[in-house]
Amino acid sequence: MTSLRFLLIVSTLFLSFTTVAQQSIEAMATQQPEWLKLNGVVEATQRSTVSAQTAGTVVELPFDVDDMVPQGELIVRLEDSEQRARLQQREAGLSSAEATLSQTRKQYERVQQLFEQNVASTSELDQAKTALDRAQSAVKQAKAAVEEAQKQLSYTRVKAPYAGIVTDRWVELGESVQPGQRLITGLSLEQLRVVVEVPQQFNATARNFSTAKIALGDGAFIDANQLTFFPYAELPSHSFRLRMMMPSQGLRVLPGSAVDVWLKIGERTVIEVPRSAVRIDGELRAVYVMDSEKGPQLRQVYTGRVDQQQVEIQAGLKAGERVLEDWSQIHYE
């Protein structure tokens, strides 16, 4: 049926065909990448759970599940009266230790002067030096205690380590928590990656090229980077896991989303002509080949990829042959 339809078109167009200007273009052979389409899943590279580092009662939870959180924003606040009291106590201890050190240093300096005047004995100087060392050590310990108390107080204000989205909230207002207890789980939308399973027969060639594109929902493609091929096969599929990073700025792609990944597995020689040079009528594909003796000849071809600009010719045309560039140049009588 297709052959009969083609003959009818040939007879109709060829018998009535005249050209005002025979503009032609050469069919070019080019190297094109060969792609393997795989199903991928988007993952977040940063996903973490924030845990309590001090004991206390939850008094503020500004964000809930699915809320966006800026980096450094308060996400949990604990009641801090105990930590503040401990800090005040440690600061008072530091003040006392510093006062003792000041007095002990003055005492040591007096004994040292008397020793130089042969009034104080060596044992008295040694005792003054020992007292000074003890006072200095006490100040160091008091400062360390203050720093620890300050740290414990800071633990009552839990902040987001990075910008992201809350996925789980493990505590409620009024709940008492202990160090190590989970508080909030979140993930970052700034750094995303895609994971796919590469069939075993394509693993070696895919590793050699290490090139992949990620298809977005609007038909656009973005280049993947930092491809990581796992060195072992997954069971029972015997496929190899491949992980790649994807730029996320300006993209509305969320972790858990399914995406199409095009993985380069080779290169092949293809013949391409402009889309305007090919007549497409249902399953029929045809071009006008410029013959120096017989003039333009309509010829059926078999095509592969067809887009708005180019058509891939799989059979029916050789590289170097010239075809009519645009079917709109055809005039009928």
PDB file of all heavy atoms in Angstrom, residues 178-197:
ATOM      1  N   GLN A 178      16.760  15.333  75.790  1.00  0.00           N
ATOM      2  CA  GLN A 178      18.050  15.029  76.374  1.00  0.00           C
ATOM      3  C   GLN A 178      19.112  15.069  75.276  1.00  0.00           C
ATOM      4  O   GLN A 178      18.787  14.960  74.082  1.00  0.00           O
ATOM      5  CB  GLN A 178      18.033  13.639  77.034  1.00  0.00           C
ATOM      6  CG  GLN A 178      17.060  13.512  78.186  1.00  0.00           C
ATOM      7  CD  GLN A 178      17.395  14.444  79.342  1.00  0.00           C
ATOM      8  OE1 GLN A 178      18.572  14.668  79.649  1.00  0.00           O
ATOM      9  NE2 GLN A 178      16.367  15.003  79.974  1.00  0.00           N
ATOM     10  N   PRO A 179      20.381  15.249  75.647  1.00  0.00           N
ATOM     11  CA  PRO A 179      21.443  15.274  74.633  1.00  0.00           C
ATOM     12  C   PRO A 179      21.408  14.014  73.758  1.00  0.00           C
ATOM     13  O   PRO A 179      21.269  12.899  74.257  1.00  0.00           O
ATOM     14  CB  PRO A 179      22.727  15.337  75.475  1.00  0.00           C
ATOM     15  CG  PRO A 179      22.303  16.011  76.740  1.00  0.00           C
ATOM     16  CD  PRO A 179      20.913  15.523  77.003  1.00  0.00           C
ATOM     17  N   GLY A 180      21.503  14.216  72.443  1.00  0.00           N
ATOM     18  CA  GLY A 180      21.468  13.102  71.507  1.00  0.00           C
ATOM     19  C   GLY A 180      20.096  12.820  70.921  1.00  0.00           C
ATOM     20  O   GLY A 180      19.982  12.056  69.957  1.00  0.00           O
ATOM     21  N   GLN A 181      19.049  13.427  71.484  1.00  0.00           N
ATOM     22  CA  GLN A 181      17.700  13.176  70.988  1.00  0.00           C
ATOM     23  C   GLN A 181      17.452  13.933  69.690  1.00  0.00           C
ATOM     24  O   GLN A 181      17.837  15.086  69.543  1.00  0.00           O
ATOM     25  CB  GLN A 181      16.673  13.599  72.041  1.00  0.00           C
ATOM     26  CG  GLN A 181      15.233  13.268  71.685  1.00  0.00           C
ATOM     27  CD  GLN A 181      14.282  13.555  72.834  1.00  0.00           C
ATOM     28  OE1 GLN A 181      14.705  13.638  73.997  1.00  0.00           O
ATOM     29  NE2 GLN A 181      13.009  13.705  72.521  1.00  0.00           N
ATOM     30  N   ARG A 182      16.787  13.283  68.718  1.00  0.00           N
ATOM     31  CA  ARG A 182      16.506  13.919  67.429  1.00  0.00           C
ATOM     32  C   ARG A 182      15.516  15.071  67.586  1.00  0.00           C
ATOM     33  O   ARG A 182      14.534  14.977  68.316  1.00  0.00           O
ATOM     34  CB  ARG A 182      15.931  12.895  66.447  1.00  0.00           C
ATOM     35  CG  ARG A 182      16.884  11.792  66.054  1.00  0.00           C
ATOM     36  CD  ARG A 182      16.255  10.867  65.023  1.00  0.00           C
ATOM     37  NE  ARG A 182      15.054  10.222  65.545  1.00  0.00           N
ATOM     38  CZ  ARG A 182      14.309   9.364  64.854  1.00  0.00           C
ATOM     39  NH1 ARG A 182      14.646   9.067  63.605  1.00  0.00           N
ATOM     40  NH2 ARG A 182      13.227   8.821  65.391  1.00  0.00           N
ATOM     41  N   LEU A 183      15.780  16.150  66.822  1.00  0.00           N
ATOM     42  CA  LEU A 183      14.909  17.318  66.853  1.00  0.00           C
ATOM     43  C   LEU A 183      14.253  17.570  65.491  1.00  0.00           C
ATOM     44  O   LEU A 183      13.031  17.548  65.367  1.00  0.00           O
ATOM     45  CB  LEU A 183      15.710  18.557  67.270  1.00  0.00           C
ATOM     46  CG  LEU A 183      16.381  18.522  68.652  1.00  0.00           C
ATOM     47  CD1 LEU A 183      17.224  19.766  68.856  1.00  0.00           C
ATOM     48  CD2 LEU A 183      15.352  18.371  69.756  1.00  0.00           C
ATOM     49  N   ILE A 184      15.080  17.825  64.476  1.00  0.00           N
ATOM     50  CA  ILE A 184      14.592  18.201  63.148  1.00  0.00           C
ATOM     51  C   ILE A 184      15.426  17.481  62.088  1.00  0.00           C
ATOM     52  O   ILE A 184      16.650  17.373  62.215  1.00  0.00           O
ATOM     53  CB  ILE A 184      14.698  19.727  62.915  1.00  0.00           C
ATOM     54  CG1 ILE A 184      13.815  20.499  63.902  1.00  0.00           C
ATOM     55  CG2 ILE A 184      14.341  20.089  61.475  1.00  0.00           C
ATOM     56  CD1 ILE A 184      12.338  20.430  63.598  1.00  0.00           C
ATOM     57  N   THR A 185      14.768  17.007  61.030  1.00  0.00           N
ATOM     58  CA  THR A 185      15.462  16.450  59.869  1.00  0.00           C
ATOM     59  C   THR A 185      15.132  17.308  58.655  1.00  0.00           C
ATOM     60  O   THR A 185      13.970  17.684  58.447  1.00  0.00           O
ATOM     61  CB  THR A 185      15.044  15.003  59.594  1.00  0.00           C
ATOM     62  OG1 THR A 185      15.421  14.183  60.715  1.00  0.00           O
ATOM     63  CG2 THR A 185      15.726  14.458  58.343  1.00  0.00           C
ATOM     64  N   GLY A 186      16.146  17.620  57.866  1.00  0.00           N
ATOM     65  CA  GLY A 186      15.934  18.439  56.678  1.00  0.00           C
ATOM     66  C   GLY A 186      16.893  18.075  55.578  1.00  0.00           C
ATOM     67  O   GLY A 186      17.844  17.307  55.778  1.00  0.00           O
ATOM     68  N   LEU A 187      16.627  18.612  54.414  1.00  0.00           N
ATOM     69  CA  LEU A 187      17.512  18.386  53.274  1.00  0.00           C
ATOM     70  C   LEU A 187      17.687  19.684  52.505  1.00  0.00           C
ATOM     71  O   LEU A 187      16.834  20.572  52.535  1.00  0.00           O
ATOM     72  CB  LEU A 187      16.984  17.280  52.358  1.00  0.00           C
ATOM     73  CG  LEU A 187      15.556  17.371  51.825  1.00  0.00           C
ATOM     74  CD1 LEU A 187      15.467  18.254  50.588  1.00  0.00           C
ATOM     75  CD2 LEU A 187      15.035  15.978  51.490  1.00  0.00           C
ATOM     76  N   SER A 188      18.819  19.766  51.820  1.00  0.00           N
ATOM     77  CA  SER A 188      19.148  20.963  51.042  1.00  0.00           C
ATOM     78  C   SER A 188      18.685  20.796  49.606  1.00  0.00           C
ATOM     79  O   SER A 188      18.794  19.719  49.020  1.00  0.00           O
ATOM     80  CB  SER A 188      20.656  21.209  51.073  1.00  0.00           C
ATOM     81  OG  SER A 188      21.006  22.252  50.190  1.00  0.00           O
ATOM     82  N   LEU A 189      18.173  21.889  49.022  1.00  0.00           N
ATOM     83  CA  LEU A 189      17.767  21.887  47.621  1.00  0.00           C
ATOM     84  C   LEU A 189      18.817  22.550  46.734  1.00  0.00           C
ATOM     85  O   LEU A 189      18.618  22.694  45.533  1.00  0.00           O
ATOM     86  CB  LEU A 189      16.429  22.620  47.461  1.00  0.00           C
ATOM     87  CG  LEU A 189      15.251  22.051  48.263  1.00  0.00           C
ATOM     88  CD1 LEU A 189      14.003  22.879  48.008  1.00  0.00           C
ATOM     89  CD2 LEU A 189      15.010  20.594  47.904  1.00  0.00           C
ATOM     90  N   GLU A 190      19.936  22.951  47.338  1.00  0.00           N
ATOM     91  CA  GLU A 190      20.962  23.667  46.588  1.00  0.00           C
ATOM     92  C   GLU A 190      21.899  22.723  45.852  1.00  0.00           C
ATOM     93  O   GLU A 190      22.432  23.068  44.802  1.00  0.00           O
ATOM     94  CB  GLU A 190      21.761  24.570  47.528  1.00  0.00           C
ATOM     95  CG  GLU A 190      20.912  25.686  48.146  1.00  0.00           C
ATOM     96  CD  GLU A 190      21.720  26.572  49.061  1.00  0.00           C
ATOM     97  OE1 GLU A 190      22.909  26.261  49.272  1.00  0.00           O
ATOM     98  OE2 GLU A 190      21.179  27.561  49.570  1.00  0.00           O
ATOM     99  N   GLN A 191      22.122  21.526  46.398  1.00  0.00           N
ATOM    100  CA  GLN A 191      23.007  20.556  45.768  1.00  0.00           C
ATOM    101  C   GLN A 191      22.237  19.255  45.568  1.00  0.00           C
ATOM    102  O   GLN A 191      21.891  18.575  46.536  1.00  0.00           O
ATOM    103  CB  GLN A 191      24.253  20.311  46.619  1.00  0.00           C
ATOM    104  CG  GLN A 191      25.135  21.543  46.778  1.00  0.00           C
ATOM    105  CD  GLN A 191      26.379  21.259  47.589  1.00  0.00           C
ATOM    106  OE1 GLN A 191      26.600  20.149  48.064  1.00  0.00           O
ATOM    107  NE2 GLN A 191      27.218  22.252  47.740  1.00  0.00           N
ATOM    108  N   LEU A 192      21.972  18.938  44.298  1.00  0.00           N
ATOM    109  CA  LEU A 192      21.199  17.750  43.964  1.00  0.00           C
ATOM    110  C   LEU A 192      22.032  16.803  43.103  1.00  0.00           C
ATOM    111  O   LEU A 192      22.971  17.221  42.428  1.00  0.00           O
ATOM    112  CB  LEU A 192      19.914  18.131  43.221  1.00  0.00           C
ATOM    113  CG  LEU A 192      18.958  19.078  43.950  1.00  0.00           C
ATOM    114  CD1 LEU A 192      17.771  19.408  43.054  1.00  0.00           C
ATOM    115  CD2 LEU A 192      18.478  18.473  45.267  1.00  0.00           C
ATOM    116  N   ARG A 193      21.664  15.550  43.128  1.00  0.00           N
ATOM    117  CA  ARG A 193      22.314  14.557  42.278  1.00  0.00           C
ATOM    118  C   ARG A 193      21.263  13.596  41.749  1.00  0.00           C
ATOM    119  O   ARG A 193      20.150  13.524  42.267  1.00  0.00           O
ATOM    120  CB  ARG A 193      23.391  13.794  43.050  1.00  0.00           C
ATOM    121  CG  ARG A 193      22.859  12.950  44.202  1.00  0.00           C
ATOM    122  CD  ARG A 193      23.991  12.419  45.047  1.00  0.00           C
ATOM    123  NE  ARG A 193      23.501  11.573  46.132  1.00  0.00           N
ATOM    124  CZ  ARG A 193      24.234  11.153  47.152  1.00  0.00           C
ATOM    125  NH1 ARG A 193      25.520  11.496  47.212  1.00  0.00           N
ATOM    126  NH2 ARG A 193      23.736  10.385  48.095  1.00  0.00           N
ATOM    127  N   VAL A 194      21.626  12.872  40.707  1.00  0.00           N
ATOM    128  CA  VAL A 194      20.720  11.907  40.088  1.00  0.00           C
ATOM    129  C   VAL A 194      21.400  10.543  40.103  1.00  0.00           C
ATOM    130  O   VAL A 194      22.599  10.419  39.825  1.00  0.00           O
ATOM    131  CB  VAL A 194      20.375  12.312  38.644  1.00  0.00           C
ATOM    132  CG1 VAL A 194      19.509  11.256  37.974  1.00  0.00           C
ATOM    133  CG2 VAL A 194      19.664  13.660  38.642  1.00  0.00           C
ATOM    134  N   VAL A 195      20.616   9.524  40.423  1.00  0.00           N
ATOM    135  CA  VAL A 195      21.130   8.149  40.465  1.00  0.00           C
ATOM    136  C   VAL A 195      20.381   7.312  39.439  1.00  0.00           C
ATOM    137  O   VAL A 195      19.146   7.375  39.355  1.00  0.00           O
ATOM    138  CB  VAL A 195      20.959   7.534  41.869  1.00  0.00           C
ATOM    139  CG1 VAL A 195      21.424   6.078  41.880  1.00  0.00           C
ATOM    140  CG2 VAL A 195      21.741   8.345  42.897  1.00  0.00           C
ATOM    141  N   VAL A 196      21.132   6.563  38.624  1.00  0.00           N
ATOM    142  CA  VAL A 196      20.546   5.669  37.626  1.00  0.00           C
ATOM    143  C   VAL A 196      21.212   4.308  37.729  1.00  0.00           C
ATOM    144  O   VAL A 196      22.285   4.155  38.322  1.00  0.00           O
ATOM    145  CB  VAL A 196      20.708   6.222  36.192  1.00  0.00           C
ATOM    146  CG1 VAL A 196      19.995   7.546  36.032  1.00  0.00           C
ATOM    147  CG2 VAL A 196      22.180   6.371  35.827  1.00  0.00           C
ATOM    148  N   GLU A 197      20.563   3.308  37.118  1.00  0.00           N
ATOM    149  CA  GLU A 197      21.118   1.960  37.036  1.00  0.00           C
ATOM    150  C   GLU A 197      21.517   1.697  35.584  1.00  0.00           C
ATOM    151  O   GLU A 197      20.674   1.741  34.688  1.00  0.00           O
ATOM    152  CB  GLU A 197      20.088   0.924  37.502  1.00  0.00           C
ATOM    153  CG  GLU A 197      19.601   1.127  38.933  1.00  0.00           C
ATOM    154  CD  GLU A 197      20.673   0.833  39.971  1.00  0.00           C
ATOM    155  OE1 GLU A 197      21.603   0.062  39.645  1.00  0.00           O
ATOM    156  OE2 GLU A 197      20.586   1.380  41.091  1.00  0.00           O
TER     157      GLU A 197
END
